[in-house]
Amino acid sequence: MYAQLRETAAELAGVLWREHTVYRERGGGVVIRGEHVRRWISLAPTGGKDRALLRAGRILDGGTTAPARTEVVVDLTAPVAELATVCRRMLAEVAAAADAGPGGGADPGPSRAGRPGKGRKGRKESKAPRAAKARAARTGRSRHTGAGSWVVLVLVGVAVAAWAYTLLGGRGY
């Protein structure tokens, strides 16, 4: 399936953009990045034969990818021109969403339209979810005292010992 996705993505990238980068993503899909237009397209396997999940999104200022704005399941046996038409429509939706956002294209996040509850102003956020996110961001780091902290503690201990020695026992009796 990966070979078919890679082959389709390479053909699709050539039709859509002259300048592009095609690479494999962690989930087994293929990503096409158009740095000059600040957009990306992803083809991911869906589990069905000859079908793929096609997603499109923006590339942010630092080069990171924003979450997908649109997604659709496509048939990989369709002609590349037809897939390119679907991609162009999705990219147009991504561009329209970016232009309509507050602050000249800043990512406004998901819409709350049609959802029950209060808007952002009326909602008070607890600090617990932030702490959980911060903890999740530290994966791979130990919560024990690092070597640099031990060096600082030893130097402070030496300084206190030297001060106590000059104060109490520096002169012979």
Side-chain angles (χ1 to χ4, degrees), residues 99-123:
D99 292 340
D107 190 9
S111 169
R112 290 192 51 85
R115 295 186 196 169
K118 299 178 181 178
R120 285 197 158 223
K121 291 183 181 177
R123 184 177 66 197

Side-chain angles (χ1 to χ4, degrees), residues 13-21 32-40 59 91:
V15 170
L16 291 173
W17 300 313
R18 284 181 295 183
E19 300 173 29
H20 60 270
T21 306
I32 307 167
R33 286 177 68 112
E35 296 287 343
H36 62 292
V37 291
R38 300 174 53 104
R39 303 284 181 262
W40 62 266
I59 298 175
L91 291 168

Side-chain angles (χ1 to χ4, degrees), residues 9 11-12 24 51 57 73 75 80-81 87 89-90 103-104 111 115 126 131 134 150 159 162:
E11 290 176 30
L12 193 57
R24 183 176 186 269
R51 300 189 65 80
V73 176
D75 187 10
V80 176
C87 288
R89 188 192 55 191
M90 292 175 67
S111 169
R115 295 186 196 169
S126 67
W150 283 112

